[in-house]
Amino acid sequence: MKWFGILLLTAISVLFLFKGLELWSVINHVDGDGISISFLGFIINEHVLNESISGYALGFTIASIIPFLVAANIALRAKMKKKIDPKNI
């Protein structure tokens, strides 16, 4: 069950990172009306101006780090529990 959670958190992290990279790449290709930003089918903002896109891109990029760190923490804790010998405690 732990490994399913780790896999799920890693997948969410990758999705956040891809959305952040997508927003970084479209900054120079937006017309004057702005764009709509959605994530996993949920509309986050319908009208984002060109000046604000970099804030959303940075937010998604940084948000991708958090689930990855949590998944790494769970994986390392599970690995360290295997190394502890109960006879020595």
Side-chain angles (χ1 to χ4, degrees):
M1 189 64 182
K2 287 181 188 179
W3 296 109
F4 176 73
I6 292 169
L7 184 65
L8 182 66
L9 286 170
T10 304
I12 291 171
S13 177
V14 168
L15 288 173
F16 273 129
L17 183 62
F18 282 160
K19 187 63 175 184
L21 292 174
E22 175 189 349
L23 290 174
W24 283 117
S25 67
V26 300
I27 287 177
N28 296 328
H29 305 290
V30 177
D31 59 357
D33 295 336
I35 63 170
S36 174
I37 296 180
S38 62
F39 183 68
L40 297 177
F42 296 104
I43 296 176
I44 295 174
N45 198 342
E46 290 185 5
H47 185 70
V48 179
L49 296 177
N50 193 15
E51 297 84 26
S52 301
I53 295 173
S54 62
Y56 282 94
L58 183 63
F60 276 108
T61 305
I62 292 174
S64 72
I65 296 170
I66 297 168
F68 179 74
L69 289 176
V70 172
N73 185 11
I74 293 170
L76 290 175
R77 281 188 174 190
K79 192 172 187 177
M80 289 183 72
K81 277 188 177 181
K82 289 181 181 179
K83 289 185 178 181
I84 296 176
D85 186 15
K87 293 179 184 178
N88 293 335
I89 295 179

